[in-house]
Structures are given as C-alpha cells and as structure tokens.
Amino acid sequence: MHFDSWGTQVTPAGPSPKPGGPAGPMAPAKEALIQDATLRPSLITTCLQTHFSGYTFLVTKQHTPPAGTTSEYKIDVGE
C-alpha cells in the first residue's frame, strides 16, 4: 500500500528519472526504512488501524524525491 504524508492512499509514483541528461546530473531519491511503527506518520497509522485492522504491518519504506519535500510511504503487510 502507498500513502502520502497525510495518510491518503495514493497510486505509487513511477520510477525516478535517471541521473544526467540535458539538465545535468540529478540527485537520487532518498529511501529510508521505518521499522518502528511509532516513527511512521500518525495519520497513516490511524488510516491503517481504521481500514486494515486485521493485518500485520511489517515495515514502512519512505521515498523522498530528489527535488521537493513530499514523501511517499510504502507499507508492507502480512496476514
């Protein structure tokens, strides 16, 4: 499942553009694993508890594009 930082489920972003090209080198996107559920944004946790209470949430992966502050969170789940 993919969420934005406001807890809204979103369509996953496509692959990041490759570095280089006519505009010059591009910084890579940042990836971070969040294994402690208490460190996940509280709005996402609330959405998960409300709509997916029967699942176990294994890990959250935070993706931040190279330009901007908007993050996308991917939640891996198990039953």
Side-chain angles (χ1 to χ4, degrees):
M1 292 182 279
H2 294 261
F3 294 89
D4 63 14
S5 56
W6 296 102
T8 304
Q9 199 164 1
V10 296
T11 302
S16 300
K18 293 185 179 182
M26 186 173 169
K30 295 178 183 175
E31 302 283 338
L33 289 178
I34 303 172
Q35 293 178 313
D36 182 349
T38 63
L39 300 177
R40 185 172 47 223
S42 62
L43 293 171
I44 293 175
T45 300
T46 300
C47 178
L48 294 172
Q49 290 171 343
T50 302
H51 300 288
F52 304 98
S53 62
Y55 291 89
T56 301
F57 304 101
L58 306 173
V59 69
T60 301
K61 184 176 183 183
Q62 181 183 15
H63 173 87
T64 304
T69 58
T70 304
S71 292
E72 179 180 282
Y73 296 85
K74 178 184 175 195
I75 314 294
D76 291 338
V77 298
E79 292 189 46

